[in-house]
Amino acid sequence: MLDRNLLVKENFVKYVREGKLPESSSTLTPEAVGLSHEEVIDLFESQVMSRHLDLQSRIMQKQGQSFYTIGSAGHEGNAAYAKAFRSDDMAFLHYRSGAFVIQRSKQVKGQTPLYDMLLSFAASKDDPISGGRHKVLGSKTLSIPPQTSTIASHLPKAMGAAFSIDLAKRMKLAGEMPEDGVVICNFGDASSNHSTAQGAINSTGWAAYQSIPMPIVYVCEDNGIGISTSTPDGWVKANFSNRAGLTYLYCDGLNLLDTYHTAKKAELLARKYRKPVFLHVKTIRLLGHAGSDAEFVYRPVAEIEANEQQDPLLHSARILLDNNILDAEQIIALYQSVEQRIAAIADIVATKDRLASPEEVMASIIPPSREMTTANVSQAQREQLFRHEKHNLSKKQHLAKLINWALMDLMAEHENIVMCGEDIGKKGGVYNVTSKLCERFGQNRVLNTLLDEQSILGTAIGLAHNGFLPIPEIQFLAYVHNAEDQIRGEAATLPFFSNGQYSNGMVIRIAGLAYQKGFGGHFHNDNSFAVFRDIPGLILACPSNGADAVEMMRSCVRLAQEQQRLVVFLEPIALYMTKDLHEEGDGLWTSEYVSPEQAKLTSGDDINQKISVYGEGKDLCIISYGNGYYLSRQAEKILAEQGINCTVIDLRWLAPLDEKGIVKQVRGFDNVLIVDECRKTGSVSEALMTLIQEAQSAGKPQKRVRRITAEDCFIPLGAAAYQVLPSNNEIVETAKEMLSGITIDPVVVLHHDNIEKV
């Protein structure tokens, strides 16, 4: 079997020497596109460097020195559009962008792209972008956030970053990107079909159609195949050439001059006119999808050979020869000298240390802290802010109102907070939690988005790249599954794969959980948040009452702002408007609003000391959160009337769990009951059961630990929902079983927001 890697490498020298070069698709000259002869040589060198890096990675892989061989061969023309843009134009790149990174590195003094990229190939902890955690293309200095290989998942955040540039200008905020900056985002033809790509490009056009500045150039590098599946001829052009709000341009990515010339047109449209561009770049794919790909299995050999004869390096050699820039032997000498140079560097990086302990690997999950200042809000400003509520501020309020007031104060204190979501503007959200925020702070800070959760979260990630503190809202918990990879694969991984150099601190507000009456079914009563609990570094907060919600929201904003953390703030819908706990009119589930001046906020470093404890009973410890905590408090009163005295713990922070605090609180109890409103499988109760059991000492009496959970079932519509959810009656009955030595009389059981005789 032929070694096609070796064949492609040797054929370049052979074809250049013999003059067997492909015909040019363009009559452009370097002078016509504004390039000097030296600049053309420089671009060619970047292409050659990228090619030999790909070839060297496969040699290293066979020697056990490299672990990831997906490369850029055939796509080296992206060096040309790298040159067309500035080094401070943020670039969200796919994995075939080696030549782009090399060419951009040449625009900034002191860069060592070959050494850096080989360190990444070798998973060395000296790798300057990921610290040995992944083979990624990225650089803080070069404004290239690292991108892993999830299909098209970087397009929504690129869209958000582009939107943020002119937003910062309108808000008179100093962003991290220049005011005239442009965003570049490239991807493949196969990836362009992914819903994430379609959604991001649609969102871009939707905004641009309304004359909202969107300085972004989407670059589709079309090599005609996705792993083994061919892209239909003409599909990309047919799909994107007539999109509303989007300018379509095409170039031959095999020709450096045509690519550079067209990219400069795209750059002008994006930079000067703040318009989005779709740049369709025709490329080929050489050396298969990756080193392990046996391309001949699904692709005719004749087609593979025809591709190899269209090698972009051969096209560049023709430009050099036709324009009398270099002769054949000079081209070959450059080609071979780069090969030798890269091989020598590879020998060096093979000796470098790799990550060797869990602590080293995990060190970048949590980004570094930073000092942030907040605006001083005067009493007069605050009175104006709350002018519509001046008669209510001294009255106790329910959860939804208190969250609204907390957001009002936080947006006044933090000028970089921007909220985005469906219907959160003038409508104030489905439950009025964002009421009056748009009126007070304007449409630049409270953004009504189109109905696309991927774009909402992508906008937030992009905003965070430019120094904003985003608070996106997902309207219902079930809707987050449309876009969970934006949280899991993008937001959460950014610090990890950048060795803490990049982060995207934000607070994602999500209305969720069950028990909602009069409206519901599965999509509005979702009781599963397991998707968040196994994401490293993510903080998950869930208040059960308004007083806690205010304190926790302020802590969440501080965690996102100062510690650059990714936070999910899960708000129990059924408790939004709840005022009473035991009987109608008791007002026990309302609270007075504590202003920032009155509050004594705990440090954001203390997130593992955040459980809340109610009662001092020693017969039974009940652990719960959200609606379950509300029901447990009802059950606690009923049990107390029957001589069973309980302590009730509200977890409040569901990830990470306050393990030390929980273990300390249950230490004095023989009986522990966990009330979990989420499903039996995958719920936080499983972690709590494990935690308590593992914390018990050998040789001592073992605790009786029980749990009550929802059934492993979706939530049905109407009253049927209560058949598969925990109730206060079930809590009472389970407690009686656990403490069966105590006589319990018949009792009135108080259900959620209604009373029934049992």
Side-chain angles (χ1 to χ4, degrees), residues 586-614:
D586 67 20
L588 293 177
W589 218 250
T590 59
S591 307
E592 292 182 357
Y593 181 64
V594 178
S595 71
E597 293 78 13
Q598 297 168 313
K600 294 180 180 179
L601 297 177
T602 57
S603 168
D605 294 329
D606 296 331
I607 62 169
N608 288 323
Q609 301 173 8
K610 288 289 186 177
I611 62 169
S612 175
V613 181
Y614 175 84

Side-chain angles (χ1 to χ4, degrees), residues 133 361-367 492 494-496 500 535-538 564-565:
R133 292 172 180 85
V361 173
M362 298 169 66
S364 64
I365 289 175
I366 298 174
L494 185 60
F496 183 72
I535 299 178
L538 182 144
Q564 307 185 77
R565 300 296 294 273

Side-chain angles (χ1 to χ4, degrees), residues 522-541:
H522 165 63
F523 286 105
H524 304 109
N525 266 334
D526 188 4
N527 67 333
S528 174
F529 53 81
V531 62
F532 304 125
R533 290 183 51 241
D534 70 341
I535 299 178
L538 182 144
I539 296 171
L540 176 59

Side-chain angles (χ1 to χ4, degrees), residues 29-101:
T29 64
E31 292 77 16
V33 301
L35 290 174
S36 68
H37 287 190
E38 291 74 18
E39 287 174 313
V40 177
I41 295 172
D42 184 61
L43 285 170
F44 175 63
E45 182 192 52
S46 296
Q47 291 184 296
V48 172
M49 287 176 168
S50 179
R51 174 64 56 81
H52 281 303
L53 283 172
D54 285 350
L55 294 169
Q56 188 66 42
S57 74
R58 294 168 187 235
I59 295 171
M60 294 170 69
Q61 193 271 337
K62 290 178 180 178
Q63 297 172 344
Q65 299 170 351
S66 176
F67 308 94
Y68 203 81
T69 54
I70 193 166
S72 307
H75 288 245
E76 291 90 353
N78 54 41
Y81 67 78
K83 185 173 180 60
F85 292 86
R86 297 195 320 229
S87 63
D88 59 0
D89 290 328
M90 187 162 281
F92 297 89
L93 305 179
H94 72 153
Y95 43 62
R96 300 198 191 279
S97 305
F100 182 103
V101 174

Side-chain angles (χ1 to χ4, degrees), residues 77-255:
N78 54 41
Y81 67 78
K83 185 173 180 60
F85 292 86
R86 297 195 320 229
S87 63
D88 59 0
D89 290 328
M90 187 162 281
F92 297 89
L93 305 179
H94 72 153
Y95 43 62
R96 300 198 191 279
S97 305
F100 182 103
V101 174
I102 293 166
Q103 187 62 42
R104 175 164 283 196
S105 296
K106 293 178 176 181
Q107 296 174 315
V108 179
K109 290 182 179 180
Q111 300 301 297
T112 54
L114 301 183
Y115 182 61
D116 294 348
M117 292 169 74
L118 284 165
L119 286 169
S120 182
F121 292 178
S124 167
K125 64 182 181 181
D126 293 335
D127 165 25
I129 184 60
S130 77
R133 292 172 180 85
H134 205 284
K135 185 260 187 184
V136 289
L137 298 173
S139 167
K140 184 69 174 177
T141 304
L142 302 178
S143 298
I144 305 175
Q147 173 63 31
T148 56
S149 58
T150 306
I151 299 301
S153 59
H154 57 304
L155 271 72
K157 65 183 180 183
M159 175 272 297
F163 170 75
S164 77
I165 297 173
D166 288 76
L167 177 66
K169 194 187 306 182
R170 292 193 297 273
M171 291 174 56
K172 296 181 172 55
L173 288 178
E176 295 184 14
M177 303 182 201
E179 285 191 356
D180 65 343
V182 170
V183 169
I184 307 108
C185 177
N186 68 2
F187 50 95
D189 50 297
S191 296
S192 73
N193 298 303
H194 199 279
S195 65
T196 317
Q198 294 284 335
I201 294 168
N202 178 71
S203 296
T204 303
W206 182 83
Y209 186 76
Q210 302 173 74
S211 300
I212 297 171
M214 293 294 286
I216 185 169
V217 178
Y218 290 110
V219 185
C220 181
E221 297 185 3
D222 181 3
N223 62 27
I225 194 166
I227 304 183
S228 67
T229 303
S230 296
T231 298
D233 288 343
W235 171 246
V236 173
K237 180 179 180 180
N239 200 356
F240 294 100
S241 61
N242 292 300
R243 291 286 184 102
L246 197 65
T247 299
Y248 171 89
L249 299 175
Y250 174 84
C251 67
D252 180 2
L254 304 180
N255 187 295

